[in-house]
Structures are given as C-alpha cells and as structure tokens.
Amino acid sequence: MLLTVLALAYGAWFALLLRSLCTRPHRRSYTQYKAVLSLGFVLAALACTAASGAWHKGLALQPALWCYLFGDVLLGLNNRKRDTRLFAIGTLAFLVGHLFLLKALARRQPLSAVDFLLPAVGVAIVAAVLLRVHPSMPGYYVPGALVYAFMICLAAAKCLHLALLWPSAENGMLAAGGLLFLLSDCVIPFVHFVPRRSLPLHILNLAAYYGGMFLLAGSLYFSV
C-alpha cells in the first residue's frame, strides 16, 4: 500500500514536471519541479527503508541519492541558462553519486570481473560515436564522457548482476532502475548537444531517469 501511494504521488508530480517542460514561456518553474521530484525519490527511499527496517541498505544508498538530487538541480538550471560549467558540475555530482551507489551495492556483493563487461562495451561504443559524430561539446568533455560512460555502465551492470544472482522483487526493481538510469543517460547527448532538440527525446530522458530513480528507491521496500 505504501509503495502504491508513493508511486501515485511521485507520478502526479512527474506529470506537473512534464507540463512545465511544455509550457510557454518555455519551461516555467522547470528546475523547481525537478528539485521537488528529486527530493521525492530521496524521501521515498527513506519511507521504504522505514517500512522494511533495512536501515543498513537504506542509509548506504542515501549519499548517492543526494548526489543525484544535487546534480539534477544543476542540469535543470543548465537547461535554462545553457552554461557548460553548470552541466560539468552537475555531471560530476552524478559521477560521485555513481561511486556511492557502487559502494552500497558492493556491500551486498563485491565487484567481480563479469561486472566490467558492460562498461567495456559501453566505453567502446561512446568512443566510436564521439569519433564519428563530433557532437557540439567542449573538447575537454570527451575524456569525461568516457569516464562517465564507464561508471554508469558499471552501476547498471552491478544492479543487473544482483538480480541475476539472487532473483527477488528487491533485486528485480534494482536491475530495472539501473537499466532505466542507463537509458536516460544514453538519451542525454540528444537533449543537450544537438542544434535542434527533440521534445519526445527529452520526455524519454526524464521518464527513464525518474522512473529508474523511483525503482531504486522503491526496491528498499522489499529489503531484508
């Protein structure tokens, strides 16, 4: 029941975010809606942790969620101001969040060689795309993009590995959340670094990201 109530409230606020995205003047209160929705997945994680009593897992995940909240607000500001410094700092916050997420997941199962297969493929694909497409981004973003691709792929791989090793509602939600997070990041270049932005792709990016974050938070409801 708790998870359903949280999902309905979260979905309703997400609808307001989408309305803000499509509003004219463009994106009125967009960043504020993103900030509240990000706070929503932090609070949802705390509520689910309280319900399950698995505080060792819930508290381990909190630093990552707060980093994602901070990074999300900065990317929201970048959508309005188009300041590469905001984008860079926001991306760095997400990168630190991935490190905290990996630390929390490694407490459940240590990293192994198989976890690095997806990151290796991800980095190879990103490098090939950057060489071929040459997106309109500062040159110093390129090594950062490769490092970021490695980390988000590693986090998604670890989530998926846990689900395959120990199938459960908790790990299934964790895997789905990690893969949606990865999908959202795959769409980001087409939101921020193309001359003509696509509203459907921006909506896909937001839906995958916030859906993934809710699943990561909601997985704690089934924790033991």
Short mmCIF file of all heavy atoms in Angstrom, two decimals, residues 2-50:
data_model
loop_
_atom_site.label_atom_id
_atom_site.label_comp_id
_atom_site.label_asym_id
_atom_site.label_seq_id
_atom_site.Cartn_x
_atom_site.Cartn_y
_atom_site.Cartn_z
N LEU A 2 1.90 1.27 0.85
CA LEU A 2 2.78 2.43 0.93
C LEU A 2 3.44 2.70 -0.43
O LEU A 2 3.49 3.84 -0.89
CB LEU A 2 3.87 2.19 1.99
CG LEU A 2 4.99 3.23 2.03
CD1 LEU A 2 4.44 4.59 2.45
CD2 LEU A 2 6.11 2.78 2.95
N LEU A 3 3.92 1.64 -1.07
CA LEU A 3 4.61 1.81 -2.34
C LEU A 3 3.66 2.36 -3.41
O LEU A 3 4.05 3.19 -4.24
CB LEU A 3 5.20 0.47 -2.79
CG LEU A 3 6.36 0.52 -3.79
CD1 LEU A 3 7.49 1.38 -3.27
CD2 LEU A 3 6.85 -0.89 -4.11
N THR A 4 2.41 1.93 -3.37
CA THR A 4 1.41 2.42 -4.33
C THR A 4 1.15 3.91 -4.12
O THR A 4 1.09 4.69 -5.08
CB THR A 4 0.10 1.63 -4.18
OG1 THR A 4 0.35 0.25 -4.41
CG2 THR A 4 -0.95 2.14 -5.18
N VAL A 5 0.98 4.31 -2.86
CA VAL A 5 0.74 5.72 -2.54
C VAL A 5 1.93 6.57 -2.99
O VAL A 5 1.76 7.64 -3.60
CB VAL A 5 0.47 5.90 -1.03
CG1 VAL A 5 0.44 7.38 -0.67
CG2 VAL A 5 -0.83 5.23 -0.65
N LEU A 6 3.12 6.11 -2.69
CA LEU A 6 4.33 6.84 -3.09
C LEU A 6 4.41 6.96 -4.61
O LEU A 6 4.74 8.02 -5.15
CB LEU A 6 5.58 6.14 -2.56
CG LEU A 6 5.80 6.18 -1.05
CD1 LEU A 6 6.98 5.30 -0.66
CD2 LEU A 6 6.04 7.61 -0.58
N ALA A 7 4.10 5.87 -5.32
CA ALA A 7 4.17 5.87 -6.78
C ALA A 7 3.15 6.85 -7.38
O ALA A 7 3.45 7.56 -8.34
CB ALA A 7 3.94 4.47 -7.32
N LEU A 8 1.94 6.89 -6.81
CA LEU A 8 0.91 7.80 -7.31
C LEU A 8 1.30 9.26 -7.09
O LEU A 8 1.14 10.10 -7.98
CB LEU A 8 -0.43 7.50 -6.64
CG LEU A 8 -1.10 6.18 -7.05
CD1 LEU A 8 -2.33 5.92 -6.19
CD2 LEU A 8 -1.47 6.20 -8.53
N ALA A 9 1.81 9.58 -5.89
CA ALA A 9 2.23 10.95 -5.60
C ALA A 9 3.40 11.35 -6.49
O ALA A 9 3.44 12.46 -7.05
CB ALA A 9 2.61 11.07 -4.13
N TYR A 10 4.34 10.44 -6.66
CA TYR A 10 5.53 10.69 -7.50
C TYR A 10 5.12 10.89 -8.95
O TYR A 10 5.60 11.80 -9.64
CB TYR A 10 6.45 9.49 -7.34
CG TYR A 10 7.84 9.62 -7.91
CD1 TYR A 10 8.84 10.28 -7.19
CD2 TYR A 10 8.18 9.04 -9.12
CE1 TYR A 10 10.13 10.37 -7.68
CE2 TYR A 10 9.47 9.12 -9.62
CZ TYR A 10 10.44 9.78 -8.89
OH TYR A 10 11.73 9.85 -9.38
N GLY A 11 4.20 10.03 -9.42
CA GLY A 11 3.73 10.14 -10.81
C GLY A 11 2.97 11.43 -11.06
O GLY A 11 3.10 12.05 -12.12
N ALA A 12 2.19 11.87 -10.07
CA ALA A 12 1.44 13.12 -10.22
C ALA A 12 2.39 14.31 -10.33
O ALA A 12 2.19 15.21 -11.15
CB ALA A 12 0.50 13.31 -9.02
N TRP A 13 3.45 14.31 -9.52
CA TRP A 13 4.41 15.42 -9.61
C TRP A 13 5.20 15.35 -10.91
O TRP A 13 5.55 16.38 -11.48
CB TRP A 13 5.35 15.40 -8.41
CG TRP A 13 6.03 16.73 -8.25
CD1 TRP A 13 7.27 17.09 -8.71
CD2 TRP A 13 5.49 17.90 -7.61
NE1 TRP A 13 7.54 18.41 -8.39
CE2 TRP A 13 6.47 18.92 -7.73
CE3 TRP A 13 4.29 18.17 -6.95
CZ2 TRP A 13 6.26 20.20 -7.20
CZ3 TRP A 13 4.10 19.45 -6.44
CH2 TRP A 13 5.07 20.43 -6.56
N PHE A 14 5.45 14.12 -11.39
CA PHE A 14 6.14 13.99 -12.67
C PHE A 14 5.29 14.58 -13.80
O PHE A 14 5.82 15.20 -14.72
CB PHE A 14 6.45 12.51 -12.96
CG PHE A 14 7.14 12.29 -14.27
CD1 PHE A 14 8.46 12.66 -14.45
CD2 PHE A 14 6.46 11.72 -15.34
CE1 PHE A 14 9.10 12.46 -15.67
CE2 PHE A 14 7.08 11.52 -16.56
CZ PHE A 14 8.42 11.89 -16.73
N ALA A 15 3.98 14.40 -13.71
CA ALA A 15 3.09 14.99 -14.70
C ALA A 15 3.19 16.51 -14.69
O ALA A 15 3.16 17.16 -15.75
CB ALA A 15 1.65 14.54 -14.44
N LEU A 16 3.32 17.09 -13.50
CA LEU A 16 3.49 18.54 -13.40
C LEU A 16 4.83 18.98 -14.02
O LEU A 16 4.91 20.04 -14.65
CB LEU A 16 3.43 18.99 -11.94
CG LEU A 16 2.07 18.85 -11.25
CD1 LEU A 16 2.18 19.23 -9.77
CD2 LEU A 16 1.02 19.72 -11.94
N LEU A 17 5.86 18.16 -13.84
CA LEU A 17 7.15 18.46 -14.46
C LEU A 17 7.03 18.47 -15.98
O LEU A 17 7.56 19.38 -16.65
CB LEU A 17 8.19 17.44 -14.01
CG LEU A 17 9.56 17.52 -14.71
CD1 LEU A 17 10.26 18.83 -14.37
CD2 LEU A 17 10.43 16.33 -14.34
N LEU A 18 6.32 17.49 -16.53
CA LEU A 18 6.15 17.44 -17.98
C LEU A 18 5.35 18.64 -18.48
O LEU A 18 5.64 19.20 -19.54
CB LEU A 18 5.46 16.14 -18.39
CG LEU A 18 6.26 14.85 -18.21
CD1 LEU A 18 5.50 13.67 -18.80
CD2 LEU A 18 7.65 14.97 -18.83
N ARG A 19 4.33 19.03 -17.72
CA ARG A 19 3.56 20.22 -18.10
C ARG A 19 4.46 21.45 -18.11
O ARG A 19 4.38 22.29 -19.02
CB ARG A 19 2.40 20.43 -17.14
CG ARG A 19 1.44 21.54 -17.58
CD ARG A 19 0.37 21.81 -16.55
NE ARG A 19 0.90 22.44 -15.35
CZ ARG A 19 0.17 22.91 -14.35
NH1 ARG A 19 -1.15 22.78 -14.39
NH2 ARG A 19 0.73 23.47 -13.30
N SER A 20 5.35 21.54 -17.11
CA SER A 20 6.28 22.66 -17.06
C SER A 20 7.22 22.64 -18.25
O SER A 20 7.56 23.69 -18.82
CB SER A 20 7.09 22.59 -15.76
OG SER A 20 8.11 23.56 -15.74
N LEU A 21 7.66 21.46 -18.65
CA LEU A 21 8.56 21.32 -19.80
C LEU A 21 7.93 21.86 -21.08
O LEU A 21 8.61 22.46 -21.92
CB LEU A 21 8.94 19.85 -19.99
CG LEU A 21 9.83 19.51 -21.18
CD1 LEU A 21 11.22 20.13 -20.99
CD2 LEU A 21 9.94 18.00 -21.36
N CYS A 22 6.63 21.67 -21.21
CA CYS A 22 5.92 22.06 -22.44
C CYS A 22 5.28 23.44 -22.36
O CYS A 22 4.64 23.88 -23.30
CB CYS A 22 4.85 21.02 -22.76
SG CYS A 22 5.48 19.34 -22.96
N THR A 23 5.44 24.11 -21.21
CA THR A 23 4.79 25.40 -21.00
C THR A 23 5.47 26.50 -21.81
O THR A 23 6.67 26.48 -22.03
CB THR A 23 4.83 25.77 -19.50
OG1 THR A 23 4.03 24.85 -18.78
CG2 THR A 23 4.29 27.18 -19.27
N ARG A 24 4.70 27.44 -22.27
CA ARG A 24 5.21 28.68 -22.85
C ARG A 24 4.75 29.85 -21.99
O ARG A 24 3.55 29.93 -21.71
CB ARG A 24 4.70 28.86 -24.29
CG ARG A 24 5.15 27.76 -25.23
CD ARG A 24 6.67 27.82 -25.43
NE ARG A 24 7.12 26.85 -26.42
CZ ARG A 24 7.49 25.63 -26.16
NH1 ARG A 24 7.46 25.20 -24.90
NH2 ARG A 24 7.91 24.82 -27.11
N PRO A 25 5.64 30.75 -21.50
CA PRO A 25 7.08 30.79 -21.75
C PRO A 25 7.76 29.48 -21.38
O PRO A 25 7.34 28.79 -20.45
CB PRO A 25 7.58 31.92 -20.86
CG PRO A 25 6.37 32.75 -20.58
CD PRO A 25 5.21 31.79 -20.57
N HIS A 26 8.81 29.18 -22.12
CA HIS A 26 9.42 27.87 -22.08
C HIS A 26 9.89 27.47 -20.68
O HIS A 26 10.61 28.20 -20.02
CB HIS A 26 10.60 27.86 -23.05
CG HIS A 26 11.15 26.49 -23.31
ND1 HIS A 26 10.35 25.41 -23.59
CD2 HIS A 26 12.42 26.04 -23.33
CE1 HIS A 26 11.10 24.35 -23.80
NE2 HIS A 26 12.36 24.71 -23.64
N ARG A 27 9.43 26.31 -20.24
CA ARG A 27 9.92 25.67 -19.02
C ARG A 27 9.80 26.53 -17.78
O ARG A 27 10.74 26.67 -17.00
CB ARG A 27 11.36 25.20 -19.21
CG ARG A 27 11.47 24.14 -20.29
CD ARG A 27 12.90 23.80 -20.61
NE ARG A 27 12.93 22.98 -21.82
CZ ARG A 27 14.02 22.68 -22.48
NH1 ARG A 27 15.18 23.14 -22.08
NH2 ARG A 27 13.98 21.93 -23.56
N ARG A 28 8.66 27.14 -17.59
CA ARG A 28 8.41 27.91 -16.37
C ARG A 28 8.44 26.97 -15.17
O ARG A 28 7.76 25.95 -15.16
CB ARG A 28 7.08 28.63 -16.48
CG ARG A 28 6.70 29.44 -15.26
CD ARG A 28 5.37 30.13 -15.47
NE ARG A 28 5.44 31.13 -16.53
CZ ARG A 28 4.37 31.69 -17.09
NH1 ARG A 28 3.17 31.32 -16.70
NH2 ARG A 28 4.52 32.60 -18.03
N SER A 29 9.22 27.31 -14.16
CA SER A 29 9.34 26.53 -12.91
C SER A 29 9.89 25.13 -13.14
O SER A 29 9.77 24.26 -12.29
CB SER A 29 7.99 26.43 -12.19
OG SER A 29 7.48 27.72 -11.92
N TYR A 30 10.53 24.89 -14.28
CA TYR A 30 11.04 23.57 -14.62
C TYR A 30 12.04 23.06 -13.58
O TYR A 30 11.93 21.93 -13.09
CB TYR A 30 11.69 23.63 -16.01
CG TYR A 30 12.37 22.37 -16.48
CD1 TYR A 30 11.62 21.29 -16.95
CD2 TYR A 30 13.76 22.26 -16.49
CE1 TYR A 30 12.24 20.14 -17.41
CE2 TYR A 30 14.38 21.12 -16.95
CZ TYR A 30 13.62 20.06 -17.40
OH TYR A 30 14.25 18.92 -17.85
N THR A 31 13.01 23.90 -13.22
CA THR A 31 14.03 23.48 -12.27
C THR A 31 13.44 23.20 -10.90
O THR A 31 13.83 22.25 -10.21
CB THR A 31 15.14 24.55 -12.15
OG1 THR A 31 15.69 24.80 -13.45
CG2 THR A 31 16.24 24.10 -11.21
N GLN A 32 12.47 24.01 -10.48
CA GLN A 32 11.84 23.80 -9.17
C GLN A 32 11.10 22.47 -9.13
O GLN A 32 11.16 21.74 -8.13
CB GLN A 32 10.86 24.94 -8.86
CG GLN A 32 11.54 26.28 -8.62
CD GLN A 32 11.68 27.11 -9.89
OE1 GLN A 32 11.96 26.57 -10.96
NE2 GLN A 32 11.47 28.42 -9.77
N TYR A 33 10.40 22.13 -10.22
CA TYR A 33 9.71 20.84 -10.27
C TYR A 33 10.71 19.68 -10.22
O TYR A 33 10.46 18.66 -9.56
CB TYR A 33 8.85 20.74 -11.52
CG TYR A 33 7.53 21.48 -11.42
CD1 TYR A 33 7.24 22.55 -12.26
CD2 TYR A 33 6.57 21.10 -10.49
CE1 TYR A 33 6.03 23.23 -12.17
CE2 TYR A 33 5.36 21.76 -10.39
CZ TYR A 33 5.10 22.83 -11.23
OH TYR A 33 3.90 23.50 -11.14
N LYS A 34 11.83 19.83 -10.92
CA LYS A 34 12.86 18.79 -10.88
C LYS A 34 13.41 18.62 -9.48
O LYS A 34 13.63 17.49 -9.02
CB LYS A 34 14.00 19.13 -11.86
CG LYS A 34 13.69 18.84 -13.31
CD LYS A 34 14.80 19.33 -14.24
CE LYS A 34 16.05 18.49 -14.11
NZ LYS A 34 15.91 17.16 -14.72
N ALA A 35 13.64 19.73 -8.79
CA ALA A 35 14.20 19.66 -7.44
C ALA A 35 13.25 18.93 -6.49
O ALA A 35 13.67 18.07 -5.70
CB ALA A 35 14.48 21.07 -6.92
N VAL A 36 11.96 19.25 -6.57
CA VAL A 36 10.99 18.61 -5.68
C VAL A 36 10.85 17.13 -6.02
O VAL A 36 10.75 16.27 -5.13
CB VAL A 36 9.62 19.32 -5.78
CG1 VAL A 36 8.56 18.55 -4.99
CG2 VAL A 36 9.73 20.74 -5.25
N LEU A 37 10.86 16.79 -7.32
CA LEU A 37 10.74 15.38 -7.71
C LEU A 37 11.96 14.59 -7.27
O LEU A 37 11.84 13.44 -6.84
CB LEU A 37 10.56 15.29 -9.23
CG LEU A 37 10.05 13.94 -9.77
CD1 LEU A 37 8.70 13.58 -9.15
CD2 LEU A 37 9.93 13.99 -11.29
N SER A 38 13.14 15.21 -7.35
CA SER A 38 14.35 14.55 -6.87
C SER A 38 14.29 14.34 -5.36
O SER A 38 14.67 13.28 -4.86
CB SER A 38 15.59 15.37 -7.23
OG SER A 38 15.78 15.40 -8.63
N LEU A 39 13.80 15.35 -4.65
CA LEU A 39 13.61 15.18 -3.21
C LEU A 39 12.60 14.06 -2.96
O LEU A 39 12.70 13.33 -1.97
CB LEU A 39 13.11 16.48 -2.59
CG LEU A 39 12.96 16.50 -1.07
CD1 LEU A 39 14.30 16.22 -0.38
CD2 LEU A 39 12.39 17.84 -0.61
N GLY A 40 11.68 13.88 -3.89
CA GLY A 40 10.68 12.82 -3.77
C GLY A 40 11.30 11.44 -3.74
O GLY A 40 10.89 10.59 -2.92
N PHE A 41 12.30 11.18 -4.60
CA PHE A 41 12.88 9.82 -4.57
C PHE A 41 13.77 9.63 -3.34
O PHE A 41 13.92 8.51 -2.85
CB PHE A 41 13.58 9.43 -5.87
CG PHE A 41 14.75 10.27 -6.33
CD1 PHE A 41 15.93 10.33 -5.61
CD2 PHE A 41 14.69 10.95 -7.55
CE1 PHE A 41 17.03 11.06 -6.05
CE2 PHE A 41 15.78 11.68 -8.01
CZ PHE A 41 16.95 11.74 -7.26
N VAL A 42 14.33 10.73 -2.81
CA VAL A 42 15.09 10.62 -1.56
C VAL A 42 14.15 10.25 -0.41
O VAL A 42 14.43 9.34 0.39
CB VAL A 42 15.82 11.94 -1.25
CG1 VAL A 42 16.45 11.89 0.14
CG2 VAL A 42 16.89 12.22 -2.30
N LEU A 43 13.02 10.95 -0.33
CA LEU A 43 12.05 10.68 0.74
C LEU A 43 11.39 9.32 0.56
O LEU A 43 11.10 8.63 1.55
CB LEU A 43 10.99 11.79 0.77
CG LEU A 43 11.52 13.18 1.13
CD1 LEU A 43 10.39 14.21 1.07
CD2 LEU A 43 12.17 13.19 2.50
N ALA A 44 11.15 8.92 -0.69
CA ALA A 44 10.57 7.60 -0.95
C ALA A 44 11.51 6.51 -0.46
O ALA A 44 11.07 5.50 0.12
CB ALA A 44 10.29 7.44 -2.44
N ALA A 45 12.80 6.71 -0.67
CA ALA A 45 13.78 5.73 -0.19
C ALA A 45 13.76 5.63 1.33
O ALA A 45 13.82 4.53 1.90
CB ALA A 45 15.18 6.11 -0.68
N LEU A 46 13.64 6.77 2.00
CA LEU A 46 13.58 6.76 3.46
C LEU A 46 12.31 6.08 3.96
O LEU A 46 12.34 5.30 4.92
CB LEU A 46 13.66 8.19 4.00
CG LEU A 46 15.03 8.88 3.92
CD1 LEU A 46 14.92 10.34 4.32
CD2 LEU A 46 16.05 8.15 4.82
N ALA A 47 11.17 6.37 3.30
CA ALA A 47 9.90 5.76 3.71
C ALA A 47 9.95 4.25 3.50
O ALA A 47 9.48 3.48 4.36
CB ALA A 47 8.75 6.37 2.90
N CYS A 48 10.50 3.81 2.38
CA CYS A 48 10.58 2.37 2.10
C CYS A 48 11.55 1.68 3.06
O CYS A 48 11.33 0.54 3.48
CB CYS A 48 11.02 2.15 0.66
SG CYS A 48 9.76 2.59 -0.56
N THR A 49 12.62 2.38 3.42
CA THR A 49 13.57 1.82 4.39
C THR A 49 12.91 1.67 5.76
O THR A 49 13.09 0.65 6.44
CB THR A 49 14.81 2.73 4.51
OG1 THR A 49 15.43 2.86 3.23
CG2 THR A 49 15.82 2.15 5.48
N ALA A 50 12.14 2.68 6.15
CA ALA A 50 11.44 2.61 7.43
C ALA A 50 10.44 1.45 7.44
O ALA A 50 10.27 0.78 8.46
CB ALA A 50 10.73 3.93 7.71
#
